Amino acid sequence: MESAGFWDFYNDDSNVSPVERAKIEFQVELIGKLVEARKAKGFTQAQLAEAAGLRQPAVARLERMKATPQIDTLFRLLIPLGYKLAIVPHQERGKTPGNREPS
């Protein structure tokens, strides 16, 4: 009998609820975009932290997903990166990243 893999476990609603899964996927996408924006701007973590009025370890914790940013912290990070937070309708893209195995 083959044992269940991570994706089987993760996509099973009895293990991870759809709400928990959506939260995890949102956080992964948000932090990924923050890191991408920081690197595209050519900022180190220390430079972004200084521009946002934060300490570098706070930025590092966020990027390692050891902390979830509060909304005011998120705005402080986005402004020097030249981004804003927007709420847009969810578009069907087929399967979401958490509902499939990576290729």
Side-chain angles (χ1 to χ4, degrees), residues 11-24:
N11 288 315
D12 184 336
D13 290 350
S14 65
N15 297 318
V16 181
S17 76
V19 171
E20 290 172 314
R21 196 165 24 275
K23 180 181 175 185
I24 291 166

Side-chain angles (χ1 to χ4, degrees), residues 8-9 16 21 28 33-34 38 54 67 71-72 83 95 98 101:
D8 294 325
F9 178 87
V16 181
R21 196 165 24 275
V28 168
K33 292 292 183 184
L34 280 172
R38 176 181 63 77
L54 302 170
I71 194 78
D72 60 327
Y83 283 81
K95 291 188 171 194
E101 292 187 38

Side-chain angles (χ1 to χ4, degrees), residues 3-57:
S3 64
F6 171 79
W7 292 106
D8 294 325
F9 178 87
Y10 180 73
N11 288 315
D12 184 336
D13 290 350
S14 65
N15 297 318
V16 181
S17 76
V19 171
E20 290 172 314
R21 196 165 24 275
K23 180 181 175 185
I24 291 166
E25 291 169 7
F26 173 77
Q27 289 175 336
V28 168
E29 189 172 349
L30 174 65
I31 298 305
K33 292 292 183 184
L34 280 172
V35 172
E36 187 179 294
R38 176 181 63 77
K39 289 180 178 181
K41 193 80 167 179
F43 284 172
T44 64
Q45 288 179 347
Q47 290 168 324
L48 176 57
E50 184 176 342
L54 302 170
R55 295 178 52 225
Q56 182 274 332

Side-chain angles (χ1 to χ4, degrees), residues 26 30-31 34 48 52 54 62 68-81 83-86:
F26 173 77
L30 174 65
I31 298 305
L34 280 172
L48 176 57
L54 302 170
L62 291 174
T68 302
Q70 298 294 316
I71 194 78
D72 60 327
T73 303
L74 186 56
F75 280 111
R76 289 169 71 176
L77 291 166
L78 290 173
I79 290 169
L81 294 172
Y83 283 81
K84 67 179 183 175
L85 186 62

